[in-house]
Amino acid sequence: MTIQAYKFCPQCASPLAWRAQMEDGGEKSRLRCAGCGFTHWNNPTPVLAAVIELEDRGGQLLLARNAAWPGRFFGLVTGFMEAGETPQEGVIREVAEETGLTVTRLSIIGAYDFQRMNQVIIAYHALARGEITLSPELAEYKLVAPESVRCWPAGTGQALADWLRSRGHPVRWLDDRPR
């Protein structure tokens, strides 16, 4: 939930207000409730992302277009962790739910800052196979050879670039600027 959407205390329904208070790292201003002392921490949400490499299609990468996205941007398959699952279990579940594919091998790429959405992206390389069946969340997909894919500057694009570098592939950006 964004800070703007959080106006009332979820415990006592009093209005929240920006208040400074001493914390472990010093004074910090956060949305707080004067009535009961509740603090809205607004910590980043963990989001899982998968660079999906199709082992039964010559190593092509699957990029997907989310049905809610404007335009025709294709990106990595992403999703939120569920309570009670590990990040590895979550990314395997997301790949299966959104594409119908079975992950046969999984390795972590890294963690990436995505402050615009108040998220931390945990990215994995997912070697997968099977028939592609998109969930209603995804409008379409395309398969791209690793050497032909173009990365984007936001969080998941950085993860894709790191994976490409780790495999010795060239990294090309959508805007053609060197990074």
Side-chain angles (χ1 to χ4, degrees), residues 2 5 12 20 23-24 28 32-33 39 58 70 80 100 113 121-122 135 143 155 163 175:
T2 64
C12 74
E23 296 179 359
D24 290 344
K28 183 77 175 176
R32 302 180 196 273
C33 177
T39 299
F80 296 104
D113 177 45
I121 298 166
I122 306 167
S135 77
L143 302 180
W163 180 81
D175 59 10

Side-chain angles (χ1 to χ4, degrees), residues 144-152 157 160-161 164-165 169-179:
V144 183
E147 59 275 6
S148 300
V149 73
R150 289 186 178 261
C151 300
W152 46 96
L160 179 57
L164 288 167
R165 282 186 203 98
H169 294 295
V171 175
R172 298 183 325 149
W173 299 92
L174 285 176
D175 59 10
D176 288 327
R177 282 184 284 162
R179 293 206 181 0

Side-chain angles (χ1 to χ4, degrees), residues 113-143:
D113 177 45
F114 195 38
Q115 289 188 22
R116 182 171 58 85
M117 297 296 289
N118 194 28
Q119 297 172 345
V120 173
I121 298 166
I122 306 167
Y124 287 87
H125 167 236
L127 195 60
R129 63 175 34 251
E131 182 180 339
I132 300 169
T133 307
L134 297 182
S135 77
E137 272 184 53
L138 300 179
E140 59 185 316
Y141 72 92
K142 66 180 178 178
L143 302 180

Side-chain angles (χ1 to χ4, degrees), residues 47-53 61-66 69 73-79 91 94-95 98-99 109-110 112 121-126 137-138 140-142 149-152 154-164:
V47 172
L48 306 170
V51 173
I52 301 172
E53 180 184 9
L61 304 180
L62 183 143
L63 299 179
R65 185 173 70 81
N66 190 300
W69 293 347
F73 178 80
F74 289 81
L76 303 184
V77 168
T78 60
V91 78
E94 284 291 339
V95 169
E98 294 189 21
T99 68
I109 299 170
Y112 301 86
I121 298 166
I122 306 167
Y124 287 87
H125 167 236
E137 272 184 53
L138 300 179
E140 59 185 316
Y141 72 92
K142 66 180 178 178
V149 73
R150 289 186 178 261
C151 300
W152 46 96
T156 57
Q158 297 294 327
L160 179 57
D162 283 350
W163 180 81
L164 288 167

Side-chain angles (χ1 to χ4, degrees), residues 4 19 38 49 91 169:
Q4 297 82 3
R19 297 189 190 325
F38 171 81
V91 78
H169 294 295

